[in-house]
């Protein structure tokens, strides 16, 4: 078997089949990740090369990038390598890659000729870059399947590992196959890639392929292939080579090429170590050839003719001849516009064999060349730091480390930035005039390091460093002291340590006088006010925020002013019922989105602007605002930031509330079911709203993935358990519902206004338990249910009356008022009373003042209970009116559990049967004519793009039809829907 026109692929049939299967799944719209592992030299690259040839033969876009052994200092090296090679190669995707990169400046900044992105905010760079990579892959995949190969991940920098994890988790339906290779023998217990591999292999779309050593027959076949055109390989030689190489193809090739497989070679003193084995081939070279190999080993990555000539000291003719010699011996192989070692182990062996002085001199030569490059070239800084340190040129290493740290920060690689800052701080005392080289003093450089640590997610390290800075900073430098304390207060708040956070924020504000106004004090005030939203024992917040806004304006601190407007708006909305709060949020959004503002603050303001419209029942306005907010978040790389996630969730929730469930289901297609991180699980949990209401088995699958993460995030626990409780109630299991709700009530959400909906579900559960107890004559159980219900209603009334800070609540959204009415009505049901007035009030409140609008599904649920109450009180005509309205809504929404409950009520109360009746018997009866056409194409294996083309509709419309079909057929996948279609003869 071969992989295209390349060398023969020996003994890898199963592994190659696994890789090609993943590629085929990706071509069909099922993105996948394959991690290829094996010992050094076992043939991982050879196997993956066969896959890339096969992918090119099939018309795929192929991008291949390699990591290099440069430690944690070169962020996104394999991504840079892949983009550069693809954009400048001769493949059919080259023009598409160039265009896609050009449309995304953050990616262009990675390339050697990109010039960096000095304006990119460091805290946003990584999110933007990740979003840009995802967008690029999706764009390329729209034209042709994409194979992205990242080799030698055991050398990957932290940002590359984060990118790999991100892509592995978010790639779902893109036509992308991501393949990574790594040395399994390098993954010691503390290796940073080890937990990444363990996490990724938990994903259902991830596959691990272990490349084994050759068996004796495969080694013999491999050696025979190597010797083509020369004397055949003797069987005994092959056996000896196999025995000594233990089936490692690279070792076997080296042994055979060095003549170490012949009889007597073992007794002739075969080198015991691999390095000696590898160096035996280097020793055959001329002096010039050996010099070139040594230079290439110190370079560490790809090297070109010019670098070889300048560092080796050879003239152009001698350098060219030496390179030809080395390439002919297959020690270096051409790669793009340069050369790489045939195997990384060979480079390691050559490097280790260098004498200390020789190694230092070569590193110094590389450092000089890199230092001579023009200013503004981003790439060399990290390499310059690496070579300068190895050359013991500490001043150059220090300056390059500072520059590399700032470069990494602009690229959104805060972990690498922190490592460079740490190196610079370690060298501070060892270099002359470090302030001149760094352009700042030691404390401010350490402050930048603390910021990088926090942006990398290491908040505790940032807090530790900031506390140390408080001890060494000049007390007379009030602005610096304010900045340190403002950052410290921010991070303490993010760690939920609110007591110290408030105290430190007060200190930060007190460091500087109010006059003259300063940016530092304005930012400290903004942080202080935001923390006071959650811990304001003395009622300071409104006065602090109002004064701070004036100070921020006077200081020109746009970001601080916008942040304060949002904070004050949130405060006034609940405590003062401010009717103009939407305009406040809009002003903050526009202010922070302008030049000099903060995209993160803009995202926060955009969310609250859309949210306040939603809470006031302006669903059309909320829809527009949420769409604009999501668009802004995505355009600024904030799709997975905190407020990017909540904006996307809110957009879904608005459509769910308005009864636009086809659109809600379309949006939920981007909410991954198979989640492994709390943030992913949060947005995934929103998909439960419609799935629970429709009785979809997909809800069970989603909950199975979410459940292991519930203890890791309080909001996730609140959201998912509340919907899991409603799911249990529809299944007639109030006890399980109660268990879920108890685990919400014991958290901070048990005292917030958010408790009203889950408490209403809890009251419904107690009503069911009490009804069963009365039927069984168990008065004790009925009394216990009533006592539990009283506690729940007391919680609701407390949350309605007071904010979490104990202030009297002046305003609450329309939905909250409706849920309060629902809770009051359910409490009466606990006593066996179906209160017509309370259920009518709940139904009316859920309309938000629009008889056919509002929270459509909850209107139907309330009218179901209202019909039940009217029928019990003898008003059969009134009950029938409410019943028909609820049944019509349930039919339209596909709310199967509610529809079943209405049919049961209709039978029991003789109100009629829910309509419309199925157009035809069997599972396909609920489908429209167009949906049957779509189902037929689904059964033929067509994707949404192909369905759209066949039916002259848009892919988006095709997607909506497929979502509706899955819901109506009560299945979770296209495969299951196709099975139903085949069974029914379509």
């Amino acid at each position: 078997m071969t992989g295209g026109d390349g060398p023969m692929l020996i003994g890898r049939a199963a592994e190659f089949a696994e890789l090609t299967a993943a590629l085929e799944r990706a071509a069909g719209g099922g993105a996948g990740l394959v991690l290829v592992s094996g010992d050094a030299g076992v043939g991982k690259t050879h196997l993956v090369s066969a896959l890339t040839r096969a992918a090119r033969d099939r018309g795929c876009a192929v991008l291949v990038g390699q990591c290099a052994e440069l430690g944690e200092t070169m962020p996104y090296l394999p991504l840079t390598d892949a983009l550069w090679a693809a954009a400048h190669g001769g493949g059919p995707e080259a023009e598409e890659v160039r265009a896609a990169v050009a449309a995304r400046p953050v990616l262009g900044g990675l390339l050697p000729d990109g010039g960096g992105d000095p304006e990119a905010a460091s805290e946003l760079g990584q999110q933007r870059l990740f979003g840009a990579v995802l967008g690029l892959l999706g764009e390329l995949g729209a034209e042709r399947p994409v194979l992205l190969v990242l080799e030698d991940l055991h050398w990957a920098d932290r940002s590359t590992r984060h990118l790999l994890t991100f892509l592995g988790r978010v790639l779902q339906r893109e036509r992308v196959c991501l393949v990574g290779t790594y040395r399994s023998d390098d993954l010691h217990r503390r290796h940073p890639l080890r937990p990444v591999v363990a996490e990724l292999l938990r994903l259902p779309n991830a596959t691990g392929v272990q490349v084994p050593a050759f068996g004796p027959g495969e080694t013999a076949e491999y050696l025979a292939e190597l010797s083509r055109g020369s004397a055949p390989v003797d069987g005994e030689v092959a056996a000896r080579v196999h025995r000594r190489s233990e089936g490692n193809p690279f070792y076997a090739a080296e042994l055979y090429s060095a003549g170490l497989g012949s009889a007597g070679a073992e007794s002739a003193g075969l080198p015991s170590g691999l390095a000696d084995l590898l160096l035996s081939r280097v020793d055959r070279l001329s002096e010039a050839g050996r010099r070139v190999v040594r230079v290439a080993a110190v370079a560490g990555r790809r090297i070109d003719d010019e670098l070889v000539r300048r560092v080796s000291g050879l003239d152009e003719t001698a350098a060219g001849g030496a390179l030809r010699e080395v390439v002919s011996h297959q020690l270096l192989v051409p790669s793009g516009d340069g050369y790489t070692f045939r195997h990384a182990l060979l480079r390691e062996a050559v490097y280790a064999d260098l004498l200390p002085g020789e190694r230092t001199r070569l590193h110094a030569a590389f450092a000089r060349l890199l230092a001579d490059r023009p200013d503004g070239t981003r790439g060399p800084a990290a390499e310059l730091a690496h070579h300068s340190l190895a050359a013991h040129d500490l001043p150059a290493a220090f300056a390059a480390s500072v520059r590399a740290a700032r470069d990494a920060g602009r690229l959104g690689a805060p972990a690498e930035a922190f490592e460079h800052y740490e190196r610079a701080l370690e060298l501070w005392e060892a270099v002359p005039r470090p302030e001149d080289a760094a352009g700042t003093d030691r404390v401010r450089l350490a402050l930048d390091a603390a910021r990088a640590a926090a942006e990398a997610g290491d908040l505790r390290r940032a807090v530790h460093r900031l506390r140390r800075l408080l001890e060494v900073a000049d007390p007379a430098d009030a602005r610096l002291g304010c900045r340190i304390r403002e950052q410290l207060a921010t991070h303490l708040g993010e760690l939920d340590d609110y007591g110290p956070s408030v105290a430190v924020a007060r200190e930060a504000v007190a460091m500087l006088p109010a006059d003259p106004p300063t940016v530092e004090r304005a930012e400290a005030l903004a942080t202080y006010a935001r923390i006071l939203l959650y811990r304001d024992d003395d009622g300071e917040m409104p006065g602090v925020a109002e004064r701070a806004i004036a100070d921020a304006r006077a200081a020109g601190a746009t970001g601080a002013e916008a942040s304060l407007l949002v904070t004050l708006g949130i405060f006034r909305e609940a405590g003062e019922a401010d009717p103009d709060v939407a305009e406040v949020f809009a002003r903050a959004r526009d202010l922070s989105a302008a030049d000099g503002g903060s995209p993160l603050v803009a995202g926060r303001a955009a969310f609250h602007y859309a949210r306040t419209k939603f809470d006031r029942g302006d669903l059309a306005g909320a829809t527009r605002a949420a769409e604009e907010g999501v668009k802004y978040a995505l355009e600024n790389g904030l799709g997975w930031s905190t407020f990017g996630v909540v904006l996307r969730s809110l957009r879904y929730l608005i459509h769910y509330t308005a009864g636009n469930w086809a659109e809600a289901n379309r949006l939920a297609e981007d909410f991954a079911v198979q989640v492994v991180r709390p943030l992913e699980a949060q947005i995934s949990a929103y998909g439960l709203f419609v799935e629970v209401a429709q009785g979809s088995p997909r809800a069970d699958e989603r909950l199975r993935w979410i459940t292991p993460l519930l203890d890791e995030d309080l909001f996730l626990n609140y959201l998912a358990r509340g919907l899991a409780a409603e799911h249990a109630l529809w299944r007639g299991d109030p006890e399980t519902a109660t268990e879920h709700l108890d685990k919400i009530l014991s958290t901070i959400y048990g005292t917030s206004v958010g408790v009203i909906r889950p408490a209403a579900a809890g009251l419904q559960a107690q009503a069911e338990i009490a009804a069963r107890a009365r039927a069984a004559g168990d008065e004790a159980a009925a009394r216990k249910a009533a006592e539990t219900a009283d506690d729940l209603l007391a919680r609701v009334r407390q949350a309605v009356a007071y904010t979490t800070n104990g202030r009297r609540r002046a305003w609450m959204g329309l939905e909250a008022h409706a849920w309060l009415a629902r809770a009051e009505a359910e409490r009466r049901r606990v006593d066996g009373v179906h209160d017509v007035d309370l259920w009518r009030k709940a139904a009316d409140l859920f309309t938000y003042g629009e008889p056919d609008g509002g929270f459509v599904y909850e209107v139907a649920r309330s009218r179901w209970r209202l019909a039940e109450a009217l029928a019990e009180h003898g008003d059969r005509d009134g009950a029938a009116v409410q019943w028909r309205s609820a049944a019509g809504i349930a039919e339209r929404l596909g709310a199967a559990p509610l529809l079943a409950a209405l049919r049961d009520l209709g039978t029991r109360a003789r109100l009629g049967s829910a309509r419309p009746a199925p157009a035809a018997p069997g599972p396909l009866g609920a489908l429209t004519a167009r949906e049957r056409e779509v189902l037929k194409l689904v059964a033929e294996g067509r994707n949404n793009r192909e369905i759209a083309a066949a039916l002259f509709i848009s892919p988006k419309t095709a997607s909506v039809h497929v979502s509706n079909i899955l819901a109506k057929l009560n299945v979770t996948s296209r495969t299951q829907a196709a099975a139903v279609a085949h069974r029914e003869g379509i």
Side-chain angles (χ1 to χ4, degrees):
M1 181 177 62
T2 62
D5 297 327
M8 179 176 289
L9 192 62
I10 296 168
R12 303 289 186 241
E15 294 78 14
F16 188 69
E18 191 81 34
L19 288 168
T20 54
L23 186 62
E24 289 169 1
R25 288 193 297 272
L33 166 67
V34 184
L35 294 176
V36 180
S37 62
D39 291 347
V42 81
K44 302 179 295 296
T45 297
H46 190 65
L47 173 64
V48 171
S49 296
L51 177 68
T52 62
R53 291 192 296 272
R56 287 192 173 98
D57 289 344
R58 300 178 188 194
C60 299
V62 178
L63 291 79
V64 181
Q66 291 187 315
C67 302
E69 191 181 12
L70 293 174
E72 298 280 349
T73 61
M74 288 288 290
Y76 309 115
L77 177 59
L79 174 63
T80 302
D81 192 19
L83 294 177
W84 177 261
H88 294 80
E93 70 277 1
E95 184 175 345
E96 297 162 13
V97 173
R98 286 195 295 271
V101 170
R104 296 166 174 84
V106 70
L107 294 182
L110 289 174
L111 303 182
D113 57 354
D117 182 9
E119 300 302 322
S122 61
E123 67 267 30
L124 304 179
Q126 189 169 77
Q127 295 173 359
R128 286 176 172 161
L129 189 140
F130 284 10
V133 173
L134 185 62
L136 178 140
L137 293 175
E139 182 176 323
L140 294 178
E143 298 297 327
R144 66 186 80 215
V146 178
L147 173 63
L148 172 60
V149 178
L150 303 179
E151 291 210 65
D152 297 326
L153 290 171
H154 48 279
W155 287 329
D157 58 276
R158 190 180 308 185
S159 290
T160 294
R161 295 194 296 270
H162 289 173
L163 175 63
L164 176 68
T165 303
F166 171 81
L167 292 176
R169 290 186 282 111
V170 303
L171 287 171
Q172 299 276 338
R173 297 177 178 84
E174 294 83 356
R175 296 204 300 165
V176 177
C177 180
L178 174 58
V179 175
T181 71
Y182 65 93
R183 292 183 189 170
S184 52
D185 50 341
D186 268 13
L187 262 61
H188 53 78
R189 191 165 60 88
R190 296 184 182 275
H191 195 288
L193 185 65
R194 188 172 184 139
V196 175
V197 170
E199 177 182 329
L200 289 174
L201 289 179
R202 289 173 55 196
L203 298 172
N205 64 334
T207 304
V209 173
Q210 174 74 36
V211 182
F214 280 160
E218 292 163 339
T219 298
E221 185 180 359
Y222 178 54
L223 296 180
E225 181 68 15
L226 289 178
S227 67
R228 282 180 180 261
S230 60
V233 180
D234 182 84
E236 292 185 2
V237 169
R240 279 191 292 269
V241 168
H242 177 76
R243 184 170 61 251
R244 299 308 301 269
S245 69
E246 297 182 348
N248 184 294
F250 177 71
Y251 300 172
E254 295 302 308
L255 284 166
Y256 182 73
S257 299
L260 298 178
S262 59
E266 296 179 19
S267 62
L270 177 68
S272 58
L274 175 61
D276 290 340
L277 169 64
L278 298 171
L279 291 172
S280 67
R281 294 189 64 198
V282 178
D283 290 340
R284 297 180 182 180
L285 299 174
S286 66
E287 173 55 33
R290 290 196 295 272
R291 188 183 302 184
V292 164
V293 171
R294 290 193 291 269
V295 168
V298 173
R301 44 184 308 213
R302 184 180 289 111
I303 190 169
D304 60 28
D305 299 73
E306 181 66 13
L307 282 174
V308 167
R309 184 183 64 77
R310 296 183 66 180
V311 176
S312 68
L314 299 171
D315 61 35
E316 187 171 349
T317 301
L323 270 172
R324 281 193 295 273
E325 178 190 14
V326 173
V327 170
S328 69
H329 281 75
Q330 299 186 55
L331 298 176
L332 292 179
V333 294
S335 176
D337 56 357
Y339 307 90
T340 59
F341 276 93
R342 183 184 172 202
H343 195 285
L345 288 177
L346 180 58
R347 191 205 70 81
E348 294 172 21
V350 174
Y351 186 83
D353 192 54
L354 292 171
L355 295 173
E358 185 179 21
R359 188 181 303 150
T360 299
R361 287 193 298 274
L362 288 172
H363 277 295
F366 275 107
R368 285 193 298 272
L369 286 176
L370 292 170
D372 289 341
R373 291 187 179 180
D375 291 339
T377 303
R378 179 202 58 78
E383 288 182 273
L384 178 57
H386 167 74
H387 287 298
S388 297
L389 192 62
H392 310 302
D393 184 352
L394 300 188
F398 172 80
S401 293
V402 173
R403 189 171 132 223
R406 290 167 180 163
D407 285 349
R410 285 193 293 269
L411 274 175
E416 287 72 24
F418 178 76
E419 296 295 334
H420 287 300
Y421 279 126
E422 283 282 87
R423 176 187 289 170
L425 289 166
E426 289 169 1
L427 295 173
W428 187 277
E429 299 288 350
V431 300
R433 303 177 65 183
E435 292 90 349
D436 293 343
T440 187
D441 59 37
R442 186 171 189 172
V443 173
R444 285 176 173 81
L445 193 69
L447 187 60
D448 290 338
R451 183 183 296 110
E455 291 168 1
D458 197 344
L459 292 176
R460 297 193 184 279
R461 177 177 282 186
V463 166
H464 175 71
R465 181 171 287 280
L466 289 165
R467 281 178 166 152
R468 287 181 58 192
L469 286 180
L470 288 178
E471 299 171 2
V472 301
D474 182 359
D477 192 338
R479 288 196 174 194
L480 177 61
C482 180
R483 285 181 60 198
I484 295 171
R485 286 168 175 82
E486 186 272 325
Q487 282 194 36
L488 179 58
T490 296
H491 302 327
L492 287 169
E494 290 169 337
L495 290 169
D496 296 330
D497 199 355
Y498 287 114
S501 179
V502 170
V504 174
R506 281 192 187 125
E507 291 178 14
V509 173
M511 291 288 293
L512 292 171
D515 191 24
T518 59
V519 172
E520 290 85 358
R521 189 171 189 273
E523 290 175 346
L525 283 166
T527 296
Y528 183 41
R530 187 171 180 178
I531 294 168
L532 288 177
L533 275 176
Y534 308 100
R535 178 66 65 84
D536 188 14
D537 298 334
D538 300 323
E540 298 179 72
M541 213 293 291
V544 168
E546 288 167 357
R547 292 190 298 272
I549 287 175
D551 290 349
R553 287 173 180 162
T558 306
E561 179 186 351
S563 178
L564 285 159
L565 285 172
V566 176
T567 298
L568 196 56
I570 296 170
F571 176 86
R572 288 177 171 169
E573 184 176 37
E576 301 173 10
D578 186 349
D580 299 322
V581 70
E583 287 69 26
V584 173
F585 293 140
R587 190 161 70 253
R589 177 200 61 199
D590 296 341
L591 184 64
S592 52
D595 291 342
S598 167
L600 287 173
V601 176
R604 181 183 176 219
F607 166 72
H608 285 292
Y609 177 68
R611 190 266 311 155
T612 196
K613 287 183 174 293
F614 178 63
D615 285 347
R616 283 163 171 74
D618 180 6
L619 299 185
T623 299
R624 290 190 296 272
E627 289 288 351
E628 291 170 1
V630 170
K631 180 182 178 183
Y632 177 85
L634 295 177
E635 287 177 347
N636 285 273
L638 299 173
W640 282 98
S641 69
T642 298
F643 285 99
V645 167
V646 296
L647 275 164
R648 291 161 59 202
S649 303
L650 178 61
R651 178 175 61 169
Y652 167 91
L653 201 59
I654 294 167
H655 288 293
Y656 160 72
T657 300
N660 299 326
W661 285 11
E663 178 63 12
N665 279 330
R666 186 191 69 79
L667 293 173
E669 289 180 2
D670 291 330
F671 299 174
V673 174
Q674 297 145 344
V675 294
V676 294
R677 294 283 184 88
L679 188 62
E680 295 173 333
Q682 279 186 25
I683 197 166
S684 177
Y686 277 89
L688 291 168
F689 279 103
V690 172
E691 289 166 359
V692 167
Q694 290 186 327
S696 169
R698 191 175 180 84
D700 295 305
E701 182 186 4
R702 197 180 292 275
L703 283 168
R704 278 196 299 273
W705 282 90
I706 290 173
T707 298
L709 302 170
L710 291 176
D711 293 336
E712 297 184 31
D713 187 275
L714 287 177
F715 179 72
L716 173 63
N717 178 78
Y718 161 77
L719 179 63
R721 286 197 185 278
L723 292 165
E726 294 185 15
H727 196 39
L729 285 171
W730 280 125
R731 293 180 166 184
D733 188 358
E735 291 78 15
T736 295
T738 300
E739 291 174 7
H740 281 299
L741 296 166
D742 285 345
K743 292 180 179 178
I744 294 174
L745 300 177
S746 61
T747 71
I748 57 173
Y749 291 96
T751 57
S752 72
V753 72
V755 78
I756 305 176
R757 176 169 178 161
L763 287 160
Q764 180 183 346
Q766 296 307 314
E768 303 300 332
I769 291 170
R772 294 178 185 178
R774 284 192 296 271
D778 189 345
E779 292 301 321
R783 282 195 302 274
K784 182 179 179 182
E787 291 168 1
T788 302
D790 287 337
D791 290 340
L792 285 170
L793 192 56
R795 278 181 180 270
V796 169
R797 289 171 174 166
Q798 177 70 17
V800 167
Y802 297 96
T803 67
T804 53
N805 277 331
R807 296 171 57 246
R808 176 70 67 174
R809 188 181 298 280
W811 181 86
M812 208 167 58
L814 295 184
E815 182 183 347
H817 283 289
W819 282 112
L820 172 61
R822 168 78 62 80
E824 299 278 4
E826 289 288 5
R827 175 61 190 89
R828 294 288 284 149
R829 260 198 346 118
V830 175
D831 296 331
V833 177
H834 294 76
D835 192 309
V836 171
D837 292 337
L838 286 177
W839 282 112
R840 194 183 301 281
K841 180 180 179 181
D844 289 345
L845 286 173
F846 273 119
T847 66
Y848 299 173
E850 298 287 341
D852 297 320
F855 199 154
V856 175
Y857 175 61
E858 295 304 336
V859 168
R861 283 218 290 174
S862 297
R863 287 175 179 168
W864 161 46
R865 291 299 188 189
L866 175 57
E868 187 176 39
L870 288 167
E872 184 175 282
H873 286 78
D875 186 356
R876 192 176 303 278
D877 291 341
V881 170
Q882 300 297 329
W883 181 87
R884 282 194 294 271
S885 172
I889 293 171
E891 283 277 8
R892 179 172 68 81
L893 296 178
L898 175 59
L899 189 59
L902 284 162
R903 284 173 174 158
D904 176 68
L905 173 63
T907 300
R908 289 186 292 109
R910 298 184 179 180
L911 300 176
S913 60
R915 61 177 187 82
L924 305 184
L927 301 186
T928 65
R930 175 63 97 184
E931 287 167 348
R932 284 171 174 263
E933 291 175 342
V934 172
L935 179 59
K936 182 176 184 297
L937 296 173
V938 168
E940 294 173 2
R942 308 277 192 96
N943 60 32
N944 288 349
R945 188 180 295 275
E946 292 166 337
I947 292 171
L951 298 179
F952 302 98
I953 58 177
S954 72
K956 178 178 177 181
T957 301
S959 174
V960 171
H961 281 312
V962 171
S963 296
N964 289 338
I965 290 167
L966 297 183
K968 289 181 179 182
L969 295 183
N970 200 26
V971 296
T972 60
S973 70
R974 300 168 79 102
T975 302
Q976 292 175 348
V980 173
H982 288 305
R983 192 165 58 245
E984 297 298 315
I986 284 188

